[in-house]
Amino acid sequence: MQASARTDVGLVRSVNEDDYLIGDGVFAVADGLGGHEAGEIASQMAIRMLKEFKPPENGDPAGALAEALEGINRAVYKRSVADPSCEGMGTTLTVLLITGDTAYIGHVGDSRAYLVRDGRLHRLTEDHSIVGELIRMGMLSEPEARAHPQRNLLTRAIGTQPDVEIEVGYCKLGPGDRFLLCTDGLTGAVDDGEILRVMASAQDPRSAVDQLVELAMRGGGHDNITAVAVFLDLP
């Protein structure tokens, strides 16, 4: 297994409020929200706390992951209430945990996790956003969502409320599986077809994240861009 990450402030924002983690079987992206650079604090807090997460050797990895994200949510919310400069801050958080023969995904917000297997792209998360709800209701297409004026409005985030519903899923690992975690600065500029093309053809994770970030920059770079690629069974 090999992994690589790349983050970029983009061409419009002055501060990068994204953060990411490449750990021992634990990978994540976070996209902060809130004014006065509070989003940067929220995403950094989430990733820093996630670095301390250790999956149980015996027990329920999915439950442990959900519990860890719930703890992060409480900590970020507590900071936002206690510090006036952090009022209203929050962050997306999408986590990939690989343990044994299983990949677990913990997720809140509109950052995404993808799996590329047998030449197909599988989205492993749902966007917790206004436009995500409209897409699921059949009222909006993916291309329309990328230009929608409410595309940045989340229905769920880490740290904005004292409690949050954590989305947790899992899949069994297969030979040659390739995972991508990314913030909406990437998916808002690069469609799923291009993501599949890059992830399926890249020689290694570094090449994949470099190509994807460059595509997002060419698409306008309107937001911070972060990608984490994890490749299993490299030749």
Side-chain angles (χ1 to χ4, degrees), residues 115-217:
L115 165 65
V116 175
R117 175 183 289 172
D118 298 329
R120 298 181 63 187
L121 185 72
H122 305 270
R123 191 183 300 179
L124 302 179
T125 54
E126 290 189 346
D127 293 347
H128 301 146
S129 65
I130 296 295
V131 296
E133 294 288 346
L134 292 174
I135 290 171
R136 286 188 286 277
M137 293 168 62
M139 300 174 64
L140 205 64
S141 69
E142 288 282 354
E144 289 171 336
R146 285 197 292 274
H148 197 280
Q150 293 182 311
R151 62 188 177 276
N152 295 322
L153 295 182
L154 300 183
T155 56
R156 202 185 307 179
I158 291 285
T160 57
Q161 299 291 331
D163 298 294
V164 67
E165 182 181 352
I166 310 296
E167 177 184 321
V168 179
Y170 73 94
C171 66
K172 292 297 182 181
L173 298 174
D177 280 353
R178 297 182 171 191
F179 292 92
L180 172 69
L181 308 178
C182 57
T183 59
D184 69 338
L186 175 62
T187 55
V190 183
D191 65 29
D192 282 5
E194 283 290 275
I195 290 174
L196 173 59
R197 180 186 64 78
V198 170
M199 287 293 293
S201 64
Q203 294 298 306
D204 52 53
R206 168 52 63 184
S207 174
V209 296
D210 283 347
Q211 290 182 63
L212 289 169
V213 171
E214 290 303 321
L215 283 172
M217 295 286 273

Side-chain angles (χ1 to χ4, degrees), residues 1 30 39 43 66 68 74 77 81-82 85 114 117 120 140 143 151 157 169 188 202 217 220-222 226-227:
M1 179 169 61
S43 61
R74 289 191 294 270
Y77 179 76
V81 171
S85 69
Y114 291 95
R117 175 183 289 172
R120 298 181 63 187
L140 205 64
R151 62 188 177 276
M217 295 286 273
H222 299 296
T226 301

